Amino acid sequence: MGYEQSKNDYSLFIKRTNGLLTIAVVYVDDIIVTGSNEEKISRFKEHLHSVFNIKDLGVLNYFLGIEVSHLQAGIVITQKKFTKELLLDCNLDVSRIAKTPLPANLKLLAYEGELHSDPEHYRKIVGKLNFLSHTRPDLAFSVQTLSQFMQQPRLYHVKALQHVLRYVSHTLGQGIILYATDQLSLIAYSDSNWASCPNTRRSVTGYVLLLGISPISWKSKKQPTISKSSSEAEYRAMAAASSETTWLIRLLTKLCVLNLKPVALHCDNQSAIHIGKNHVFHERTKHIELDCHFTREKVLEGLIVLTYTPAAEQHADIMTKALSSFQHNKLKSKLGMYSDVDTVPSLRGDVSDDTAECATSDDEYAEGF
C-alpha cells in the first residue's frame, strides 16, 4: 500500500500522500493506526481486514497494558489496571503510605545482610515495576537501583522494594499527560550523581526529554565506567542525552514534526558545559572515550545548544537520586505528570504553589531503613 518502514523504529510504518500522513504502529497482532485523514485510515483498515480478518476496537483506550484517556487538554496515559494487579500479586504489606519511591540518601549494599528466601519473587516484582516505569518517570531511579540486586537479593533490598510498592499504592493512578498544542519544542535535561553507587563507585546518569512540556523519553542508568570527577560524570550524562535527542529528532522529522532544532540541553554543571563547547584537546579530558565527545559533534552541527540550569530546577534530578518529598513532588509537577485524583493542570511550564503542602518530614515513612 506504499507504507514505508521507519529506519528509526522497525515497528513504525508511515505513508505520505499529497500532504496527508497515515501512521501505523505494529506489535505482533496489535496495531495502532492514526493520521491526518479519516478516509486514508479507513482504507488502510479495510485492506487489512480483507487480508487478515481484523477486529476494529475503535478509538484507542488500551494497548499493551497502557490505558489511554482522551481529555480536552490532551491525552493521558496510565497503567492503573496493571498497577492494581501488581499490588495484588506482590505478597507484601503496602498499607502504610510512602511519599517518595525511596527514602532520601538511601544506600543499598550488594553483600550485606541476610539473603532473601525467594529471589524469584523479588525478580518478578522488580521486572513488573520496570514495565510500570513506561508511564512513570518518577519510578525510573528506584527500578534502576533495585535491578542491581537481582542475582542475590537480600532482606534489606526487599524492604526497599516494599517501600517502592507503598509509594506505588499511594499513587495508583499516576501517569503522564501529553498536551494538545501546536507550539512544540524539544527540550532535554541531563544530570548525574557522581560516584553514588556504594558498591562500585560508579555514577548514575539521568536524562529526560520533553516535547512541549510533556515527557516523551527518560532514563536512569548506572554509568559503565568510573568517572574521575563530577564534571566527567555530567559530561557522560550529556552524551547519553545527546544520543537520545539525535534519535528523537530523526523519528519526529519522519512524523512531520519539524523545526525542532536546535534543542536546548540543560545541565547544572558549568565545567561539563565548558567541556562540551570547547573543541580543543585538553589534558583533563584526554582519558575520556571518543564516544563521550558525541555531544561536541552535535553542538558543532547546530543540533544541540548547551544551557546551564540551576540544580534546584534540574528536571533530570529525579532520575539520579532519591529526593525529599517536597523536591520529588516539585519535579513530578515540572515533568507534567498526572494523577487521576488531580484536576488536569493547565498548559504551562511552571509549578503550582500547592507543592509546598508536600514539604513534610520524611522520617515518618523512612522508618525501618
Side-chain angles (χ1 to χ4, degrees):
M1 295 188 71
Y3 282 79
E4 176 189 356
Q5 185 179 31
S6 171
K7 298 296 187 293
N8 301 297
D9 189 325
Y10 292 156
S11 299
L12 179 66
F13 296 83
I14 304 168
K15 184 177 181 179
R16 297 184 194 83
T17 48
N18 301 323
L20 301 175
L21 180 68
T22 312
I23 302 166
V25 180
V26 181
Y27 184 84
V28 190
D29 59 350
D30 292 318
I31 304 174
I32 299 175
V33 187
T34 187
S36 55
N37 183 272
E38 297 244 2
E39 183 183 343
K40 298 285 184 184
I41 295 173
S42 298
R43 192 175 301 170
F44 175 77
K45 291 192 291 186
E46 288 169 5
H47 176 75
L48 284 183
H49 187 64
S50 67
V51 178
F52 297 108
N53 191 25
I54 65 169
K55 184 177 180 181
D56 189 350
L57 301 178
V59 176
L60 177 65
N61 56 60
Y62 192 80
F63 188 73
L64 303 180
I66 297 174
E67 296 157 61
V68 181
S69 303
H70 302 265
L71 306 177
Q72 187 174 2
I75 294 174
V76 175
I77 58 174
T78 62
Q79 291 171 272
K80 191 170 182 179
K81 179 176 181 290
F82 177 81
T83 305
K84 288 180 177 178
E85 293 170 354
L86 165 61
L87 294 172
L88 286 172
D89 194 36
C90 70
N91 293 323
L92 292 169
D93 179 18
V94 296
S95 57
R96 289 179 57 193
I97 290 177
K99 295 181 182 177
T100 61
L102 289 174
N105 303 314
L106 175 69
K107 299 293 184 183
L108 295 175
L109 301 176
Y111 303 107
E112 188 174 285
E114 184 181 345
L115 288 170
H116 182 42
S117 59
D118 190 0
E120 286 190 12
H121 176 258
Y122 178 89
R123 294 173 195 138
K124 181 174 71 171
I125 300 302
V126 174
K128 289 185 176 183
L129 284 173
N130 186 43
F131 183 71
L132 183 58
S133 66
H134 289 331
T135 59
R136 298 284 301 267
D138 55 326
L139 296 177
F141 173 74
S142 304
V143 172
Q144 178 269 138
T145 301
L146 295 174
S147 297
Q148 297 176 46
F149 312 109
M150 298 289 241
Q151 184 176 356
Q152 288 186 319
R154 298 175 184 268
L155 294 182
Y156 198 63
H157 306 145
V158 177
K159 273 192 175 182
L161 173 61
Q162 186 178 19
H163 192 282
V164 175
L165 292 172
R166 284 172 173 168
Y167 169 77
V168 169
S169 177
H170 175 57
T171 56
L172 194 64
Q174 193 80 61
I176 57 177
I177 180 168
L178 306 175
Y179 282 99
T181 174
D182 56 359
Q183 302 298 319
L184 291 178
S185 60
L186 191 61
I187 305 169
Y189 292 85
S190 73
D191 194 23
S192 76
N193 194 3
W194 181 46
S196 60
C197 177
N199 303 296
T200 63
R201 306 311 296 172
R202 294 181 186 176
S203 308
V204 174
T205 284
Y207 65 74
V208 59
L209 284 89
L210 308 178
L211 187 60
I213 62 170
S214 305
I216 59 170
S217 181
W218 54 85
K219 177 167 282 191
S220 174
K221 185 176 182 180
K222 193 159 66 172
Q223 294 182 0
T225 59
I226 297 175
S227 296
K228 295 178 66 177
S229 66
S230 59
S231 299
E232 181 185 337
E234 294 278 2
Y235 187 52
R236 292 179 185 277
M238 285 169 55
S242 300
S243 177
E244 184 72 2
T245 300
T246 303
W247 174 76
L248 272 174
I249 286 287
R250 290 200 310 263
L251 180 65
L252 290 169
T253 300
K254 285 290 185 180
L255 296 175
C256 296
V257 183
L258 307 174
N259 302 320
L260 294 174
K261 298 184 286 187
V263 177
L265 174 55
H266 296 266
C267 175
D268 59 10
N269 187 289
Q270 295 276 22
S271 297
I273 292 175
H274 180 71
I275 294 171
K277 289 180 176 179
N278 181 15
H279 312 294
V280 180
F281 182 81
H282 197 281
E283 181 77 15
R284 289 185 304 157
T285 61
K286 66 181 183 180
H287 66 284
I288 299 177
E289 295 90 338
L290 288 175
D291 60 341
C292 289
H293 298 301
F294 182 77
T295 304
R296 288 184 183 176
E297 296 178 12
K298 297 307 168 186
V299 170
L300 279 174
E301 289 176 14
L303 179 74
I304 288 172
V305 174
L306 300 180
T307 305
Y308 175 76
T309 190
E313 303 300 319
Q314 174 56 271
H315 292 39
D317 205 28
I318 201 171
M319 304 289 168
T320 61
K321 61 178 73 72
L323 302 169
S324 67
S325 57
F326 171 70
Q327 186 67 3
H328 181 80
N329 283 280
K330 178 183 176 181
L331 291 180
K332 276 206 312 181
S333 180
K334 282 185 174 293
L335 287 174
M337 294 193 66
Y338 166 85
S339 175
D340 57 4
V341 299
D342 300 330
T343 57
V344 179
S346 59
L347 187 58
R348 50 159 175 72
D350 61 323
V351 181
S352 60
D353 293 334
D354 58 8
T355 54
E357 297 176 5
C358 299
T360 56
S361 170
D362 294 320
D363 294 338
E364 58 187 89
Y365 61 89
E367 190 178 323
F369 283 93

